[in-house]
């Protein structure tokens, strides 16, 4: 039943303590019995990337205490796991010296940043990469200690990117070539490569990162390069859920999702998979699974290329983007005037704010869109200065932001071409006295988004969740 090559990615919490890492080791050991070729990709231990980046920015701001304390923390955290999971004295001593070396690299970098009073994106990537550079060594040694032949290998050697530090773009051709060149010989010998997520390097060898949460993306890139038969993302929940279980007590795991659905969910705020991780695997036709390190026998969520046609009309998940406000630009003078929307969104873009939802009334007398509450003031200022002439001449009557709202999105590819789904959504909200402020349907028709007052959000999500009747756990 199994294929040949499996890529398994462990998130920060899956390697964040000795107990978690021991569990990850056991998962790899078992997979290795069923799959002849296994590649492991890991994040930094949970909290470590934040610690690294925070220390660097504090150092730039003149505070050296943070990185001095940070160095001690890093050393204690990694060393205590090494002591628990590496049995042999020699291997443990080796690990301690590797940890010390990387921690002093951290101290040196932060010291330089402190002296310069500036942390460039390039310097921040060098600092951030240390988390994964430590975690791969620790995990590989822990695997070896349990009799699993493995080798830590830094992805800076084969994930080749441009030099857009902090969110570098991989060069797919070169990454594919080098990944095969470096990993295949290890796999041929039955060795499990333990590779870093998140980081890469330019052609010149300068360390880059793929952006926060980028380890999923790394696993997808590596899976597509080999190519693997399957990529499994090990996290700390039982796969992708129908809703946030903290908001909806009845939330449960979705057993199957299509790539488009999961992409939509990732976009609309469900923290399941890094949105960029989906394309490489879908293009290579590779199976994707999200599963729980702390409940490994649970099947988790399987992600497929095509949706099963039996799922017609099904709503699969409800997700929310919180802390938003709706900005409205209104005025009779906007009617039929081309370019108002373009100028409005250019003014928003100038504030580096991203817009998750847009609606325009067909009368063309208003444009309405959502922005995060925290950016509202900046966005309004920018819009008012862009349209100062129109405001003065009253072609635009007002530019304003409303009360805090939430965007609630229902996702399900089966909603496509199935009449009546929107009707069911509005009926159940009406029955629960939830007032819908604005609506948008993704042009992909895989999602319908509604804007509701933040005070109504919990009730709205709970009501919509009742529409998810199938796919209940067995
Ligand atoms: N360690 C990196 C981060 O925290 C990458 C990841 O965990 O995916 O952003
Ligand atoms: Mg993650």
């Amino acid at each position: 039943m199994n294929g040949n090559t499996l890529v398994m990615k462990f998130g920060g919490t899956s390697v964040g303590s000795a107990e978690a890492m021991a569990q990850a080791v056991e998962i790899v050991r078992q997979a290795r019995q069923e799959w002849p070729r296994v590649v492991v990709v890991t994040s930094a231990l949970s909290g470590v990337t934040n610690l690294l980046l925070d220390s660097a920015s504090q150092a730039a701001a003149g505070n050296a205490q943070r990185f001095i304390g940070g160095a001690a923390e890093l050393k204690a955290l990694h060393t205590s796991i090494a002591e628990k999971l590496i049995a042999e004295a020699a291997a443990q001593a080796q690990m301690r010296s590797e940890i010390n070396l990387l921690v002093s690299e951290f101290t040196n970098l932060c010291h330089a940043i402190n002296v310069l009073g500036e942390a460039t994106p390039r310097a921040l990537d060098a600092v951030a990469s240390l988390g994964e550079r430590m975690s791969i060594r620790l995990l590989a040694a822990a695997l070896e200690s349990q009799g699993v032949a493995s080798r830590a290998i830094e992805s800076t050697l084969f994930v080749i990117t441009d030099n857009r530090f902090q969110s570098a773009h991989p060069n797919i051709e070169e990454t594919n070539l080098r990944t095969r060149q470096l990993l295949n010989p290890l796999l041929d010998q039955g060795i499990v490569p333990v590779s870093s997520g998140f980081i890469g390097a330019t052609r010149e060898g300068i360390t880059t990162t793929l952006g926060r949460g980028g380890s999923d993306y790394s696993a997808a890139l590596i899976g597509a390069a080999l190519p693997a038969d399957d990529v499994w993302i090990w996290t700390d929940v039982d796969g992708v859920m129908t809703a946030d279980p903290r908001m909806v007590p009845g939330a449960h795991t979705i057993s199957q999702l299509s790539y488009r659905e999961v992409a939509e969910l990732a976009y609309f705020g469900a923290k399941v998979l890094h949105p960029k991780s989906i394309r490489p695997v879908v293009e290579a036709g590779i199976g994707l699974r999200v599963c729980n390190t702390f409940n490994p026998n649970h099947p988790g969520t399987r992600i497929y290329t095509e949706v099963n046609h039996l799922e017609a009309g099904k709503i699969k998940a409800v997700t929310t983007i919180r802390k938003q406000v709706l900005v409205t630009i209104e005025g009779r003078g906007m009617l039929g005037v081309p370019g108002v929307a373009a100028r409005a969104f250019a003014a928003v873009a100038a504030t580096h704010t991203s817009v998750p939802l847009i609606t325009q009334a067909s009368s063309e007398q208003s444009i309405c869109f959502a922005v995060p509450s925290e950016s509202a003031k900046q966005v309004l200022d920018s819009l008012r200065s862009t349209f100062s002439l129109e405001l003065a001449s009253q072609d635009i009557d007002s530019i304003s932001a409303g009360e805090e709202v939430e965007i609630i999105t229902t996702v399900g590819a089966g909603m496509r071409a199935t009449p009546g789904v929107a009707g069911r959504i509005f009926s159940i909200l009406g029955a629960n006295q939830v007032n819908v402020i604005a609506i948008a349907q993704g042009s992909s028709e895989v999602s319908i988004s509604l804007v509701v007052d933040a005070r109504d959000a919990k009730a709205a999500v709970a009501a919509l969740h009742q529409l998810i009747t199938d796919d209940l756990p067995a």
Side-chain angles (χ1 to χ4, degrees):
M1 168 201 136
N2 286 338
N4 202 24
T5 307
L6 174 64
V7 173
M8 295 205 286
K9 179 259 171 176
F10 292 95
T13 51
S14 297
V15 291
S17 65
E19 297 69 39
M21 196 179 281
Q23 182 71 33
V25 165
E26 181 53 22
I27 287 168
V28 177
R29 204 182 60 76
Q30 285 188 16
R32 188 61 191 80
Q33 291 168 357
E34 290 173 31
W35 296 74
R37 298 159 80 87
V38 174
V39 177
V40 169
V41 177
T42 183
S43 293
L45 278 50
S46 57
V48 165
T49 310
N50 286 343
L51 184 157
L52 294 167
L53 288 171
D54 185 49
S55 300
S57 56
Q58 295 278 331
N63 173 8
Q65 287 316 308
R66 176 71 175 120
F67 76 79
I68 294 166
E73 258 181 79
L74 288 173
K75 190 169 158 178
L77 176 63
H78 291 85
T79 310
S80 90
I81 296 181
E83 279 166 1
K84 290 183 186 131
L85 299 189
I86 303 171
E88 306 78 357
Q92 207 186 96
Q94 167 74 22
M95 185 47 89
R96 275 174 199 277
S97 79
E98 288 181 36
I99 293 168
N100 290 345
L101 214 63
L102 289 165
V103 172
S104 37
E105 196 173 326
F106 164 73
T107 310
N108 290 340
L109 281 165
C110 287
H111 184 69
I113 289 169
N114 188 227
V115 170
L116 289 168
E118 178 193 33
T120 61
R122 173 172 166 172
L124 288 173
D125 275 356
V127 172
S129 73
L130 289 162
E132 273 73 8
R133 290 172 66 201
M134 289 197 267
S135 67
I136 53 171
R137 288 169 168 79
L138 203 49
L139 183 54
L143 280 162
E144 284 277 334
S145 191
Q146 288 299 313
V148 182
S150 61
R151 176 104 31 98
I153 177 163
E154 291 189 13
S155 52
T156 46
L157 298 172
F158 55 87
V159 174
I160 306 304
T161 72
D162 64 11
N163 66 357
R164 293 218 320 204
F165 297 102
Q166 299 197 285
S167 86
H169 278 293
N171 175 320
I172 299 293
E173 255 168 58
E174 223 161 309
T175 298
N176 284 352
L177 192 73
R178 293 229 209 162
T179 303
R180 288 183 207 134
Q181 275 172 353
L182 278 156
L183 299 190
N184 278 334
L186 295 172
L187 293 167
D188 291 341
Q189 296 169 63
I191 294 171
V192 174
V194 179
S195 169
S196 44
F198 185 47
I199 63 183
T202 64
R203 232 178 244 150
E204 296 73 34
I206 300 161
T207 300
T208 57
T209 66
L210 305 176
R212 293 305 307 270
S215 294
D216 296 341
Y217 188 26
S218 309
L221 289 169
I222 294 168
L226 290 170
D229 297 280
D230 259 10
V231 173
W232 294 0
I233 305 287
W234 289 92
T235 177
D236 53 11
V237 289
D238 294 336
V240 183
M241 309 284 282
T242 52
D244 182 342
R246 286 162 305 183
M247 274 181 95
V248 183
H252 56 266
T253 301
I254 307 167
S255 60
Q256 314 185 3
L257 276 172
S258 72
Y259 284 105
R260 296 180 63 173
E261 290 169 328
V262 84
E264 207 79 357
L265 275 171
Y267 178 77
F268 282 109
K271 287 195 182 60
V272 279
L273 272 178
H274 191 281
K276 284 188 190 165
S277 59
I278 293 149
R279 201 167 141 202
V281 278
V282 73
E283 284 179 352
I286 295 167
L288 192 60
R289 183 182 162 207
V290 180
C291 35
N292 188 354
T293 300
F294 305 95
N295 189 12
N297 294 325
H298 192 289
T301 301
R302 266 274 169 201
I303 295 154
Y304 294 95
T305 316
E306 292 299 330
V307 194
N308 185 336
H309 57 267
L310 292 175
E311 298 193 321
K314 259 196 198 178
I315 296 172
K316 307 274 280 286
V318 185
T319 176
T320 55
I321 307 183
R322 305 178 62 191
K323 296 197 192 325
Q324 302 286 308
V325 293
L326 284 180
V327 172
T328 307
I329 306 176
E330 262 177 309
R332 245 160 290 168
M334 288 162 59
L335 188 72
V337 180
V340 174
R343 286 168 60 208
F345 291 112
V348 178
T351 68
H352 302 287
T353 301
S354 84
V355 175
L357 176 140
I358 306 168
T359 61
Q360 176 173 27
S362 58
S363 71
E364 284 190 57
Q365 291 181 35
S366 70
I367 302 174
C368 175
F369 52 87
V371 295
S373 325
E374 56 182 26
S375 327
K377 185 178 177 312
Q378 246 190 320
V379 167
L380 289 177
D381 289 346
S382 176
L383 287 167
R384 285 177 184 145
S385 91
T386 297
F387 291 113
S388 56
L389 289 179
E390 289 81 355
L391 284 165
S393 67
Q394 292 184 349
D395 284 335
I396 290 179
D397 299 321
S398 71
I399 297 175
S400 60
E403 300 265 290
E404 188 159 293
V405 294
E406 292 193 17
I407 300 173
I408 301 184
T409 302
T410 56
V411 175
M415 300 193 308
R416 238 166 119 201
T418 307
V421 178
R424 275 157 65 210
I425 288 174
F426 293 111
S427 310
I428 202 155
L429 290 176
N432 286 275
Q433 266 91 47
V434 174
N435 178 37
V436 177
I437 303 170
I439 309 163
Q441 174 166 34
S443 52
S444 61
E445 288 189 58
V446 172
S447 68
I448 295 177
S449 295
L450 318 156
V451 178
V452 303
D453 191 291
R455 285 173 292 240
D456 290 337
K458 199 166 177 194
V461 172
L464 292 170
H465 196 264
Q466 293 170 34
L467 297 176
I468 305 173
T469 47
D470 329 88
D471 211 36
L472 283 164

